[in-house]
Amino acid sequence: MYQPGVGDALDALDTPAMIVDLTLMDDNIGRLMERFRVRNVRVRPHLKTVKSPELALRLLAAGAVGGCVAKVSEAEVMAEGGIEDLLITTEIVGRPKLARLVDLLRKHSLIKVVVDSVEGARALDAAVGAANLEAKVLLDLNVGQDRCGVTPGEEALELARQIGEMEHLQLIGVQGYEGHLQHIHDPQERQRRCQQAMQTLTGTAEQLRTAGFPIQIVTTGGTGTAEFCADFDGITEVQPGSFVFMDTDYRNALGGVYSNALTVLATVISRPTPNRAIIDAGLKSLSIDSGMAEPKGWEQLAYQPKGDEHGALVWRDEADADQELPLRIGDRVEMIPSHIDTTINLHDTYYAYRDGRIEAIWPISARGKVQ
Ligand code: PLP
Ligand code: MN
């Protein structure tokens, strides 16, 4: 079978292929780590972005204290790959999922989970208790995203009291993720609203401590807010993920703080008219939930998905429509994803390169791990 390898030039790759510019990626990681090192706040990157234990280990080597994962199935992949200190950031509900979690906790006792309801906590307590185990839990708090999370204040305290009475659960922290603020373009507005959310989060952590709970972890923050979070007293760790590769959605909101380090390499397979080039990357290669991918280096061109396997590149400005597009059949174009997490989930492999040559090939082992 045809298989490009380490040392090959990028043009050995069949397309569509997801390629990573290692210089830019290492720079993104180094820059972020440095920002939090000087603030004395730990970094627990959200591994839902990279979905690869190899990359998670690289993040640990760069200074991360562990990782976040969204789901138990992601935790399975990461724990198997050698990442022990994991926080599962989504509530774990239902017998099948609890059974998987218990299996995982038997071997990986550093895994932590979040709870936001008495029902959820009771079921977790019963499941781990039946296996003679304990679970370290964080209270998941709604700091304004209105997704999961117990309401701050008395409801949060009451849930903590109930957890405190459960024999097999150990309450060690609070999570409050402000996902609704990540992409606010105006940095002052983003900061102001983030500070409100952090006030809520750290205020509740303090209330819990006053009530006698040993809250050690106060975790929050994504790529758009983590620095604002870290500047707030009482935040112990941040959990950004997208900064590793970035995407056009984050670039549009944040500017050039981090670079777009990942693209999908595509080939022009058809030129049906002078002003339309068709590439071999459609909905199965590039997600469109956060807008359209952009052809790198071709600012004057726009991408339009044309079904599962095809995409069109056309002039962005209609006034140019009678001009000939400067792309030929066989040309290659790098597409910058609009949303990195959902795009990576479509692919099996990262081809990481430096100076035009493939330096590493990493399987995306946690792709599709949505359970
Ligand atoms: N924490 C939680 C709970 C999340 O759901 C996410 C992403 O959705 C993140 C952190 C990381 O955010 P980002 O990839 O935007 O940096
Ligand atoms: Mn995302």
Side-chain angles (χ1 to χ4, degrees):
M1 201 175 70
Y2 180 74
Q3 204 128 46
V6 168
D8 285 346
L10 279 182
D11 58 13
L13 290 175
D14 194 5
T15 62
M18 220 164 53
I19 60 173
V20 175
D21 184 326
L22 274 176
T23 310
L24 295 181
M25 184 192 84
D26 286 343
D27 191 50
N28 286 345
I29 295 172
R31 202 173 314 171
L32 181 124
M33 291 302 172
E34 179 59 17
R35 290 202 154 106
F36 295 98
R37 195 187 61 73
V38 298
R39 288 171 165 91
N40 222 355
V41 165
R42 293 191 287 263
V43 181
R44 183 184 292 281
H46 211 305
L47 304 176
K48 62 186 267 175
T49 302
V50 296
K51 303 176 186 63
S52 134
E54 286 85 352
L55 273 170
L57 291 172
R58 239 175 137 103
L59 286 160
L60 288 182
V65 293
C68 292
V69 288
K71 298 297 185 81
V72 174
S73 56
E74 264 176 0
E76 288 170 348
V77 173
M78 293 300 165
E80 180 68 22
I83 298 90
E84 291 291 339
D85 188 346
L86 292 169
L87 168 64
I88 306 177
T89 59
T90 308
E91 281 67 12
I92 294 163
V93 169
R95 263 205 304 153
K97 215 180 281 303
L98 285 168
R100 277 174 94 159
L101 175 70
V102 165
D103 271 353
L104 205 52
L105 286 175
R106 277 186 226 283
K107 279 206 283 182
H108 305 283
S109 60
L110 292 181
I111 294 177
K112 300 166 246 308
V113 300
V114 300
V115 288
D116 75 348
S117 70
V118 176
E119 297 92 304
R122 278 207 190 106
L124 177 67
D125 182 52
V128 293
N132 268 326
L133 296 170
E134 278 207 343
K136 297 184 182 60
V137 303
L138 277 70
L139 204 73
D140 192 16
L141 199 71
N142 180 13
V143 295
Q145 186 180 21
D146 293 341
R147 190 167 69 179
C148 295
V150 62
T151 304
E154 193 42 49
E155 279 183 45
L157 273 170
E158 181 50 30
L159 175 57
R161 284 187 204 109
Q162 304 243 18
I163 293 171
E165 291 182 3
M166 298 181 193
E167 214 180 317
H168 312 285
L169 302 189
Q170 208 188 333
L171 182 61
I172 59 159
V174 192
Q175 166 179 271
Y177 176 57
E178 66 298 348
H180 58 306
L181 307 180
Q182 299 305 324
H183 291 87
I184 295 178
H185 283 211
D186 176 1
Q188 277 160 3
E189 165 84 355
R190 196 171 350 110
Q191 181 170 26
R192 188 182 61 73
R193 293 188 54 190
C194 185
Q195 283 170 343
Q196 287 170 351
M198 293 308 103
Q199 184 67 55
T200 304
L201 178 60
T202 55
T204 302
E206 261 323 296
Q207 279 179 306
L208 291 171
R209 288 190 189 108
T210 306
F213 297 100
I215 300 301
Q216 299 144 34
I217 298 179
V218 182
T219 182
T220 179
T223 298
T225 57
E227 283 178 62
F228 301 143
C229 301
D231 284 339
F232 210 89
D233 264 358
I235 301 301
T236 69
E237 60 180 52
V238 290
Q239 37 180 266
S242 300
F243 71 97
V244 176
F245 299 128
M246 290 295 281
D247 51 33
T248 62
D249 199 20
Y250 256 132
R251 181 209 59 202
N252 294 343
L254 305 185
V257 191
Y258 303 105
S259 308
N260 289 112
L262 178 150
T263 55
V264 173
L265 187 64
T267 301
V268 176
I269 56 165
S270 174
R271 283 298 318 274
T273 65
N275 61 4
R276 179 157 40 99
I278 301 300
I279 59 173
D280 57 353
L283 296 167
K284 283 160 75 175
S285 306
L286 293 162
S287 66
I288 59 166
D289 53 274
S290 302
M292 295 304 140
E294 291 178 12
K296 184 174 171 178
W298 296 101
E299 284 73 25
Q300 68 280 42
L301 303 185
Y303 170 76
Q304 300 171 343
K306 292 284 185 187
D308 297 344
E309 326 289 354
H310 301 79
L313 293 175
V314 297
W315 292 110
R316 201 171 270 285
D317 187 344
E318 289 218 349
D320 293 329
D322 57 350
Q323 306 276 317
E324 168 117 17
L325 277 182
L327 286 169
R328 294 201 209 155
I329 288 181
D331 281 355
R332 289 187 158 197
V333 182
E334 288 183 55
M335 301 298 298
I336 310 172
S338 52
H339 184 186
I340 200 70
D341 302 299
T342 48
T343 293
I344 292 173
N345 201 43
L346 299 169
H347 295 261
D348 284 330
T349 311
Y350 292 110
Y351 295 96
Y353 68 95
R354 209 185 298 270
D355 302 327
R357 301 234 159 242
I358 299 171
E359 189 173 304
I361 299 176
W362 297 311
I364 304 170
S365 335
R367 87 169 271 206
K369 299 299 183 204
V370 291
Q371 291 184 335

